[in-house]
Amino acid sequence: MTSYQPISCCTDHGEDIGLALRTRGWVQLELPQWQSELNCTSFQCALAALDAGTSSYCLELGVDSADASGTHAAGAMSRFNAYREGFIISNGDVLDLDGAGDRPGGFIEQMTHFFSVNCTLAAELLQELAKHLDLDTNWFAATLGDMQNHSQWHVKRYCPGSMAPSDFLEDGRAVLLPMHADPSIISVVIHDREGVQQGA
């Protein structure tokens, strides 16, 4: 059993994460305090790197994003980034965005820890799902490879800028990220808006 618990108001299956994934296709989890704190510190580190500018690792226009690691400006790479800038970590390739190298507390150390912990979360979720599909618990890792070496993580921030009229709903709310389907076997979405929802 995974150490994560679903947020009770968001699942019909109590603590059975695998069943929720199998029947509904998603589950919302409340993270342990230590992981929430790690994510918060990691987002602060990411924000500092984005604020400092990281043009030396900027992904080129037209790059195949499937295995890309680097930064991108708002509007780059696809319409889904029209109002988002950020960086991509592919297959464990954490770039030295702050120039600190392996210095304790630097970008590489912080984001490597963030990447590792959240890869473990994703792997545990797939193990729970495998059990409910009558597969060996480690089927996903054995078939698709270790999550640390076969995954991609995006860290983004919104930059609304000048929005087109078509980017607004009738009630005036903005659509910063259009509806889409991810091409991955699992998507883990971590939000950093504390206080909006318990556990976020």
Side-chain angles (χ1 to χ4, degrees):
M1 176 69 175
T2 180
S3 58
Y4 301 93
Q5 300 301 318
I7 296 175
S8 59
C9 65
C10 298
T11 178
D12 299 327
H13 306 289
E15 297 179 355
D16 202 328
I17 293 170
L19 183 58
L21 288 170
R22 180 181 179 201
T23 57
R24 188 176 42 242
W26 64 271
V27 66
Q28 186 172 4
L29 304 176
E30 183 165 359
L31 300 176
Q33 184 65 31
W34 68 267
Q35 190 165 354
S36 293
E37 290 171 1
L38 169 67
N39 290 341
C40 182
T41 302
S42 299
F43 284 134
Q44 290 169 357
C45 182
L47 181 63
L50 290 172
D51 284 344
T54 52
S55 58
S56 60
Y57 292 105
C58 191
L59 294 167
E60 295 178 15
L61 191 63
V63 69
D64 180 3
S65 62
D67 293 308
S69 288
T71 64
H72 68 82
M77 299 175 65
S78 79
R79 68 186 181 98
F80 302 113
N81 290 321
Y83 305 112
R84 300 188 308 165
E85 68 176 353
F87 58 88
I88 302 171
I89 300 170
S90 291
N91 308 320
D93 185 16
V94 180
L95 301 172
D96 186 12
L97 296 187
D98 66 356
D102 294 330
R103 177 180 52 79
F107 184 87
I108 288 179
E109 181 188 68
Q110 185 66 43
M111 297 313 293
T112 297
H113 191 198
F114 170 80
F115 177 78
S116 176
V117 165
N118 287 296
C119 279
T120 298
L121 167 60
E124 287 184 16
L125 290 171
L126 289 176
Q127 288 174 343
E128 291 295 315
L129 177 59
K131 285 192 273 188
H132 283 277
L133 296 175
D134 295 324
L135 298 170
D136 178 79
T137 303
N138 293 313
W139 184 88
F140 287 102
T143 305
L144 303 175
D146 176 66
M147 186 69 65
Q148 302 252 1
N149 300 315
H150 298 89
S151 63
Q152 187 175 79
W153 292 82
H154 294 246
V155 179
K156 311 281 189 175
R157 72 171 166 186
Y158 286 103
C159 305
S162 179
M163 299 184 68
S166 60
D167 293 326
F168 290 91
L169 301 175
E170 288 181 11
D171 64 4
R173 289 179 297 156
V175 178
L176 298 174
L177 178 61
M179 187 184 313
H180 66 284
D182 290 343
S184 51
I185 192 72
I186 188 170
S187 295
V188 176
V189 180
I190 304 165
H191 293 281
D192 67 339
R193 294 191 61 193
E194 288 186 49
V196 174
Q197 182 166 342
Q198 183 179 356

